[in-house]
């Protein structure tokens, strides 16, 4: 308890120091350049008036933008202007769809691979070659075959989410204790009952670990995928704000992406604890 | 000679070209308790696994009640050395899993009731809801015993069921098994390396030589009267001779008899001895 309090205090201290230093460092000196025609200056924006780059936003600017963006996250002003909550929703929908489809394929297939050494031997080379490929490399192929940017993003998520679940499921199934399988055999449990009542619960913790890794990777990849396909999603939002030079908005988006990723991980972590067993 | 109820007929197991054991013949009659004793490496566990149907012998067959054993079946229950409980199920769940295997048509509640009764039989009614991780070693093995008994097997197979337990717990569980097996007239076959356990529980004790190429060198008939009691058995006349005979075998003859068969050896006619019935029995205070 005391340890947690001390950690929390230290965290606040580090945050305060870092943000404070950032605030001071990013506050611009008073503009010194020659005065411009006011109308022209208005057109150029504040940065250009001083003849400088877009300034790095200060923490106070970011807080202000965060308040602005998160106050009404679900507004829709036409196709090109939607709230950050809507964009996150699109990203989550794609991640969960791609992840769900991947689970539907990876877990049963992993089961078969884990149970059959022949199948393992046959499919392992394919898996080992495809697994290290960046999921974004699939994007052009997906766009070419599917001809739909939204579905292509989901496909990319599907491809990147499949490997950890596939490998963990097959490993979990292949390493179920021989003695538990022997128990099932002496009780004349058929293959289906053995799979459902013995192998699945025995391998569930390993499978859930794979699912947890998968969803983490999927959440990493969705941002990049949406930057490519555009239209909607938090990745698109980040890219769009980069084009607008709204750096503060990008920082807000980064924080939000981190928080949602953490929430997804915690969710899967909780599910993993629910199926965990101890000997 | 009529075929015994359980008839092991010339089974062998090879490891590469070398036999671990071969030409193994023995029988178990209904209601009989037979123990097989020997050092590690003579293939004891393999023999039990073959009886259970979990492994196939490289030669020979096993016939039980007139039918050849060709795989695991519910008429043979195994108490595993490592208890082999499913750790995600409660004690009750583990036993109920076996009950539902035996009685597929039974509704869940009926199977659970039956499982509860069997757990009660091994003195674990209180711990029914606990997971194996929350049970002591002895309690886990009680659940293992309950799971085996719950399917009402015609043959109970035990693979050194108490060897992982401390001496005190082992004694209690031996009593428990003795009681349950005698009450039910259960036919049982047990692998052990504990001489006292074999004398207490078994009616016949098969003495196995060291591997490789192990064989049953002798069958010791336990003539000590049933019911045997752990408290008094060591004062029973004949106990000393019986125990000494088996210890002698394990210490010396299991090694000297190992390997090549003597002239005229017939695996089907293993010599039977009755050390406890011999007249020269010194009594101890």
């Amino acid at each position: 308890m005391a340890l947690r309090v001390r950690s929390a205090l230290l965290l606040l201290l580090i945050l305060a120091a870092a943000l404070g230093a950032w605030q001071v460092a990013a506050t611009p000196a008073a503009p010194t350049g020659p005065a411009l025609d006011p109308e022209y200056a208005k057109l150029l924006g504040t940065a250009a008036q001083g003849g400088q780059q877009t300034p790095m936003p200060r923490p106070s600017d970011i807080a202000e933008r965060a308040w602005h963006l998160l106050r009404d996250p679900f507004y829709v002003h036409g196709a090109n202007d939607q709230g950050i909550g809507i964009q996150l929703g699109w990203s989550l929908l794609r991640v969960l769809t791609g992840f769900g489809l991947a689970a539907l394929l990876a877990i049963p297939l992993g089961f078969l691979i884990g149970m059959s050494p022949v199948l393992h031997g046959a499919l392992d080379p394919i898996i080992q070659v495809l697994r290290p490929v960046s999921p974004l490399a699939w994007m052009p192929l997906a766009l070419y075959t599917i001809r739909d940017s939204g579905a292509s993003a989901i496909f990319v998520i599907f491809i990147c989410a499949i490997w950890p679940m596939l490998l963990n499921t097959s490993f979990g199934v292949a390493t179920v204790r021989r003695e538990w399988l022997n128990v099932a055999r002496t009780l004349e449990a058929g293959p289906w009952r053995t799979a459902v009542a013995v192998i699945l619960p025995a391998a569930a913790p390993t499978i859930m670990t794979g699912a947890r890794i998968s969803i983490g990777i999927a959440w990493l990849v969705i941002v990049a995928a949406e930057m490519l396909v555009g239209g909607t999603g938090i990745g698109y939002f980040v890219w769009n704000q980069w084009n607008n030079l709204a750096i503060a908005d990008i920082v807000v988006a980064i924080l939000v992406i981190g928080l949602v990723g953490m929430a997804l991980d915690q969710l899967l972590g909780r599910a993993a604890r629910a199926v965990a067993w101890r000997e | 000679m009529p075929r015994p109820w359980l008839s092991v007929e010339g089974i062998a197991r090879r490891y590469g070209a070398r036999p671990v054991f071969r030409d193994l013949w023995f029988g178990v009659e209904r209601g009989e308790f037979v123990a097989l004793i020997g050092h590690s490496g003579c293939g004891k566990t393999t023999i039990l696994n073959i009886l259970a149907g979990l492994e196939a012998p490289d030669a020979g067959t096993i016939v039980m009640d007139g039918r050849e054993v060709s795989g695991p079946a519910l008429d043979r229950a195994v108490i595993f050395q490592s208890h082999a409980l499913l750790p995600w199920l409660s004690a009750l769940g583990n036993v109920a899993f076996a009950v539902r295997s035996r009685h597929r048509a039974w509704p869940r509640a009926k199977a659970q009731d039956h499982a509860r009764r069997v757990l009660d039989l091994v003195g674990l009614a209180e711990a029914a809801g606990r997971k194996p991780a929350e049970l002591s070693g002895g309690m886990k093995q009680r659940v293992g015993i309950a799971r085996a008994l719950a399917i009402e097997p015609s043959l109970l197979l035990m693979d050194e069921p108490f060897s992982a337990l401390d001496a005190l717990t082992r004694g209690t569980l031996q009593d428990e098994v003795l009681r349950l097996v005698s009450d039910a007239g259960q036919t049982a076959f047990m692998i052990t390396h504990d001489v006292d356990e074999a004398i207490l529980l078994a009616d016949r004790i098969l003495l196995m030589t060291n591997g490789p190429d192990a064989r049953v060198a002798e069958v010791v008939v336990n003539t000590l009267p049933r019911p045997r009691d752990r408290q008094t058995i060591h004062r029973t006349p004949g106990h000393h001779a019986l125990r000494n005979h088996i210890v002698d075998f394990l210490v010396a003859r299991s090694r000297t008899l190992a390997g090549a068969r003597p002239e005229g050896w017939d695996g089907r006619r293993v010599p039977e001895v009755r050390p406890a019935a011999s007249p020269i029995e010194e009594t101890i205070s």
Side-chain angles (χ1 to χ4, degrees):
Chain A
M1 188 59 212
L3 191 73
R4 289 179 65 174
V5 172
R6 275 187 289 171
S7 296
L9 283 175
L10 185 60
L11 170 68
L12 287 176
L13 205 70
I14 292 170
L15 275 179
L19 293 177
W22 181 358
Q23 180 82 17
V24 170
T27 302
T32 51
L36 291 168
D37 172 41
E39 221 157 293
Y40 183 51
K42 205 174 158 193
L43 214 63
L44 282 177
T46 42
Q49 288 168 36
Q52 302 161 326
Q53 270 192 303
T54 302
M56 187 64 189
R58 294 164 298 179
S60 59
D61 302 327
I62 292 164
E64 195 190 314
R65 286 304 298 162
W67 169 246
H68 177 79
L69 289 171
L70 298 176
R71 195 180 40 183
D72 180 17
F74 298 110
Y75 75 85
V76 178
H77 296 157
N80 291 323
D81 188 8
Q82 302 184 349
I84 194 169
I86 300 273
Q87 307 289 17
L88 269 177
W90 277 110
S91 299
L92 272 173
L93 186 70
R94 288 185 185 124
V95 162
L96 295 181
T97 310
F99 172 81
L101 291 172
L104 281 181
L105 179 70
I107 293 174
L109 186 62
F111 231 89
L112 294 178
I113 294 175
M115 289 176 91
S116 155
V118 178
L119 200 61
H120 178 265
L123 294 186
D124 196 52
I126 303 179
I127 296 171
Q128 295 307 334
V129 169
L130 295 185
R131 191 171 60 108
V133 176
S134 164
L136 293 172
W138 292 88
M139 183 64 93
L141 207 59
L143 287 169
Y144 173 72
T145 46
I146 307 176
R147 293 167 193 278
D148 178 276
S149 62
S152 297
I154 291 172
F155 175 78
V156 166
I157 295 303
F158 166 81
I159 279 288
C160 77
I162 211 165
W163 309 117
M165 279 193 279
L166 189 63
L167 290 173
N168 270 48
T169 305
S170 64
F171 176 75
V173 168
T175 55
V176 171
R177 292 272 187 80
R178 169 126 235 118
E179 56 187 48
W180 297 336
L181 298 175
N182 280 346
V183 167
R185 287 177 64 201
T186 56
L187 292 174
E188 284 189 62
W192 179 248
R193 186 153 181 256
T194 305
V196 171
V198 178
I199 298 173
L200 185 63
T206 323
I207 297 174
M208 285 311 300
T209 305
R212 201 172 170 182
I213 298 170
S214 279
I215 202 134
I217 294 176
W219 191 243
L220 288 179
V221 166
I222 191 65
V223 174
E226 286 170 344
M227 282 180 176
L228 280 176
V229 297
T232 48
I234 194 71
Y236 166 72
F237 177 86
V238 169
W239 198 250
N240 202 29
Q241 297 314 83
W242 163 237
N243 287 330
N244 294 336
L245 279 179
I247 309 296
D249 287 18
I250 295 174
V251 178
V252 174
I254 287 173
L255 289 175
V256 170
I257 291 168
L259 288 171
V260 171
M262 188 176 80
L264 286 174
D265 186 63
Q266 301 271 310
L267 215 64
L268 269 286
R270 197 159 293 184
R273 274 196 295 284
V275 298
W277 44 261
R278 198 160 52 85
E279 277 208 79
Chain B
M1 199 167 79
R3 189 180 248 171
W5 178 73
L6 171 75
S7 177
V8 174
E9 303 182 349
I11 61 168
R13 162 53 50 96
R14 276 183 277 280
Y15 186 76
R18 294 180 85 181
V20 181
F21 56 82
R22 69 182 162 93
D23 197 23
L24 218 62
W25 299 73
F26 61 87
V28 179
E29 291 299 344
R30 261 218 128 119
E32 200 182 17
F33 196 128
V34 173
L36 186 147
I37 201 165
H39 290 292
S40 32
C42 68
K44 286 182 304 203
T45 296
T46 309
I47 294 169
L48 189 115
N49 284 346
I50 291 171
L51 284 174
L54 292 168
E55 290 179 41
D58 292 319
T61 52
I62 291 171
V63 179
M64 187 169 117
D65 206 8
R67 277 199 306 274
E68 189 179 342
V69 167
S70 59
L74 281 159
D75 56 2
R76 279 160 283 137
V78 184
I79 300 176
F80 294 90
Q81 181 177 8
S82 56
H83 61 76
L85 300 179
L86 306 178
W88 54 89
L89 294 178
S90 64
L92 184 70
N94 269 285
V95 180
F97 180 67
V99 174
R100 280 205 298 279
S101 304
R102 171 57 119 189
H103 307 281
R104 274 155 218 249
W106 280 14
R108 201 182 178 80
K110 191 173 177 190
Q112 297 235 332
D113 280 350
H114 183 72
R116 215 178 288 276
R117 269 198 305 281
V118 186
L119 271 181
D120 196 25
L121 213 61
V122 298
L124 273 185
E126 303 296 309
R130 285 203 245 157
K131 297 272 172 72
E134 300 155 349
L135 299 172
S136 70
M139 290 163 101
K140 281 184 215 172
Q141 199 50 287
R142 276 169 197 266
V143 180
I145 294 168
R147 179 173 63 187
L149 294 178
I151 61 171
E152 292 144 27
S154 33
L155 176 64
L156 182 64
L157 297 166
M158 291 174 263
D159 181 12
E160 304 192 32
F162 314 123
S163 61
L165 305 174
D166 64 273
L168 213 61
T169 314
R170 193 186 309 153
T172 327
L173 279 190
Q174 284 164 356
D175 288 346
E176 204 89 347
V177 164
L178 189 60
R179 176 176 62 82
L180 292 166
V181 166
S182 321
D183 286 357
Q186 177 75 56
T187 314
F189 180 82
M190 173 189 239
I191 301 285
T192 184
H193 55 233
D194 182 334
V195 178
D196 292 308
E197 183 170 285
I199 295 176
L200 178 68
L201 295 173
D203 305 313
R204 280 191 302 135
I205 301 157
L206 313 178
L207 302 182
M208 205 152 172
T209 64
N210 292 355
D213 201 5
R215 65 193 156 104
V216 172
E218 225 171 72
V219 177
V220 174
V221 180
N222 187 353
T223 48
L224 302 185
R226 267 189 176 188
R228 295 184 278 272
D229 179 358
R230 201 157 52 90
Q231 310 295 324
T232 58
I233 189 168
H234 58 281
R235 296 203 197 87
T236 316
H239 173 270
H240 212 55
L242 177 62
R243 189 175 193 284
N244 282 348
H245 184 86
I246 301 174
V247 170
D248 279 346
F249 180 88
L250 285 179
V251 169
R253 290 196 297 136
S254 61
R255 187 160 33 82
T256 54
L257 291 178
R261 269 85 174 139
E263 196 69 36
W265 173 260
D266 183 359
R268 299 174 185 229
R269 284 181 190 77
V270 176
E272 268 192 6
V273 292
R274 292 175 161 75
S278 82
I280 36 158
E281 164 67 19
E282 75 274 44
T283 45
I284 47 162
S285 55

